Amino acid sequence: MTETADELSAPLGQTEKRRRRRLRFPFTALQALAVLLGLFLVAFAGFAMFSDNPLGGEPVARVAINDGTKPDDKAAAKPDAKAEHGPAPAAKQEGGERKTITIIDGSSGARQEVAIGAGGSETSDQGSAAPTTAMTGVDPRLLEKSRYGMIPVAADGLKPFTAYAADADRAKAARMPAVAIVIGGLGVGAAKTVDAIMKLPPAVTLAFTPYGSDPTKLAERARAQRHEILLQVPMEPYDYPDNDPGPQTLLATLGPDQNVDRLFWHMSRLQGYVGIGNFMGARFVATEAAMQPVVNEAAKRGLALFDDGAAPRSVAASLATGRAVPFAKGDVAIDAVPTPVEIDSALAKLESLAKERGVAVGTASALPVSIDRIGTWIKGLDRKGILLVPLTTAMLKSKSN
C-alpha cells in the first residue's frame, strides 16, 4: 500500500491507528454469521416450498397420471372392448375412464405402472406386458387376447387342464392310496419359490399368486422342473379390507362383469397353469352369486378349480360339479402351525385320509420348515404304500371314486 506524506511524517502509533480505521468492516463477525444463517434458512424454505422433492433426498413416490393412450391414438377409432376382450372393463361400467399411474421410487428410480379404475382401486399393471412374451412350453392355441394381455382359453378340443398337467402313472394311482400336495403363495419372494421348485419332487403342485415382480419367469422355471402349476386368485375374506389379499381382489359386493374383469387381470400375469384356486377369500367362496361367474369362466377356458379348504361354507364344490369343472379341495392344512412336530402330525393325518378315502390333498406354504418336513416325508411314502400324485391326477381320481 502507498503511504501518504502525512502518514510518513506522523508518529508510528498514529499511522497504525489510521490504517486500522481505514480497514474496519461495517459489521462484526457475529453479525456476518447471523446474515449467512438467515440466507441459508430462506434458501431452505424456498427449496421445501418449490422443489419436486421436499424431503431432501428421502425416497418418494412420484405419480404421473395418463389415460392409457398415446397422443396419436386418441384420434383413432377404438375397437369394441366387449367384442375383442370379453366383458367390458370395470371402469367403463362404472362410468369412468381407466387410467394408469407411474410410481417412481425417489431413491432407486424404479418404475411401476398401476392401473386405476373408476372406483379408484389400484392394480399393478406390471404384468400386463409380460404375457406378450411367449412362455416356454405354452401352446399359443390356448391363449386369448384380453385388454390386460394373454389369458388361457380352451380351443380345438384342447384344454389347459390336460395340456399342462404333470406326468403321472394314473393307472397306478387308481389302484392305491394317493396324496397330492399343493404349495401356495409362490411368486412373491423368489428365494422361497425357487426352494419349492428345486427341493420338492415334480409331483408336488405349485400355486402362484399374481403379485411377484416376475411371475412368468418363476412359473416357467417351475414347469421346466416338470411341476404343474396353479394360479391363485385373491378373493375377499370376511374381514376385508382390514385383511386385504392385494390389488384387484375379487369382491362379493362387485357385479359379475367387474369380478370377471379383475379375474382376467390375474389370469394375464402368467401362463401354463392347469387351473385356478382361491387366495384367501372365505367370504367370496361362500357367496354363490359371486363365485358362479368365476366357475363359469373356469369351465369356458378349460381350467380346473381348487379350493384350499379353509372356508367351511364354500360353495365351490357344488358349483364346479354343476359345470363339470375338474375340482379338488384341500383336506389338511399341513403347516397351519409351522413347527416340525405339528407338520409331521398333519402329514400323518393326510396319510390316514388317503388310506380311508383313496385320495387326499394337503396344502402348505413355502416356509423352510415346511419344505424340509414335506420333502423328508415324501421320501418314505413308497414303503407306506401311498403314491404322491399331481393335483390333476387327484382330481381325476376323486371324480372316478
Side-chain angles (χ1 to χ4, degrees):
M1 181 184 296
T2 305
E3 295 180 340
T4 65
D6 291 340
E7 288 174 338
L8 292 173
S9 61
L12 182 59
Q14 293 180 10
T15 300
E16 190 64 29
K17 290 178 181 179
R18 289 173 184 171
R19 287 178 180 172
R20 290 176 181 174
R21 283 196 298 269
R22 185 177 301 162
L23 296 173
R24 184 177 296 167
F25 291 102
F27 45 79
T28 66
L30 185 60
Q31 290 172 327
L33 182 61
V35 170
L36 289 174
L37 181 60
L39 290 174
F40 174 78
L41 292 174
V42 169
F44 180 80
F47 178 79
M49 291 175 64
F50 302 109
S51 173
D52 289 335
N53 185 4
L55 297 180
E58 291 295 320
V60 295
R62 297 177 184 172
V63 179
I65 299 180
N66 61 77
D67 62 2
T69 59
K70 298 178 182 179
D72 294 340
D73 295 338
K74 291 185 178 180
K78 296 182 179 179
D80 182 9
K82 187 171 183 179
E84 284 195 15
H85 310 311
K92 292 292 184 183
Q93 294 159 357
E94 295 171 358
E97 293 185 356
R98 180 175 179 267
K99 297 181 181 294
T100 62
I101 63 174
T102 302
I103 299 179
I104 306 172
D105 188 318
S107 59
S108 67
R111 293 171 175 263
Q112 180 179 8
E113 297 297 325
V114 174
I116 299 182
S121 62
E122 304 103 35
T123 61
S124 174
D125 225 18
Q126 221 174 353
S128 60
T132 60
T133 302
M135 197 170 133
T136 302
V138 173
D139 191 330
R141 293 173 296 176
L142 299 179
L143 295 176
E144 178 182 71
K145 185 178 180 182
S146 77
R147 73 187 186 110
Y148 298 113
M150 305 306 288
I151 61 177
V153 68
D156 300 329
L158 300 175
K159 296 180 179 181
F161 173 76
T162 51
Y164 305 135
D167 293 334
D169 188 342
R170 291 178 180 169
K172 186 177 180 180
R175 299 192 305 267
M176 59 189 297
V179 293
I181 300 290
V182 178
I183 305 296
L186 301 178
V188 177
K192 70 174 184 179
T193 300
V194 171
D195 273 352
I197 292 171
M198 303 306 296
K199 293 181 179 180
L200 294 173
V204 174
T205 299
L206 305 181
F208 286 77
T209 65
Y211 297 134
S213 60
D214 195 351
T216 294
K217 182 178 180 180
L218 290 170
E220 189 173 44
R221 185 167 182 178
R223 297 193 68 244
Q225 293 297 318
R226 297 181 292 119
H227 293 278
E228 68 183 20
I229 63 174
L230 287 173
L231 171 68
Q232 287 184 292
V233 178
M235 299 179 183
E236 182 183 3
Y238 279 109
D239 50 354
Y240 181 87
D242 292 334
N243 191 9
D244 189 351
Q248 290 286 55
T249 292
L250 275 60
L251 303 175
T253 53
L254 294 180
D257 288 346
Q258 293 167 291
N259 276 324
V260 168
D261 185 71
R262 292 186 174 203
L263 178 64
F264 286 179
W265 184 88
H266 295 299
M267 284 182 168
S268 73
R269 294 285 284 158
L270 61 141
Q271 295 302 330
Y273 43 90
V274 297
I276 59 176
N278 61 300
F279 180 64
M280 301 173 61
R283 181 183 182 190
F284 192 89
V285 299
T287 308
E288 184 170 348
M291 272 297 292
Q292 185 70 68
V294 175
V295 176
N296 290 345
E297 286 298 323
K300 172 184 176 182
R301 299 180 181 282
L303 297 169
L305 182 66
F306 178 65
D307 183 335
D308 66 9
R313 297 168 57 190
S314 174
V315 297
S318 61
L319 293 178
T321 300
R323 290 301 310 271
V325 172
F327 176 81
K329 184 178 76 170
D331 297 304
V332 178
I334 296 169
D335 55 1
V337 181
T339 65
V341 172
E342 293 297 328
I343 289 173
D344 290 347
S345 176
L347 291 170
K349 181 179 179 182
L350 191 64
E351 291 177 23
S352 298
L353 286 173
K355 291 176 179 179
E356 176 186 333
R357 303 178 185 172
V359 62
V361 179
T363 61
S365 59
L367 294 171
V369 65
S370 304
I371 299 299
D372 177 67
R373 298 314 303 161
I374 292 171
T376 300
W377 172 78
I378 288 173
K379 292 174 183 177
L381 283 180
D382 283 345
R383 58 182 173 79
K384 297 177 182 179
I386 299 174
L387 183 66
L388 177 70
V389 299
L391 183 65
T392 52
T393 300
M395 288 176 169
L396 294 172
K397 180 168 182 174
S398 297
K399 186 176 181 180
S400 64
N401 285 349

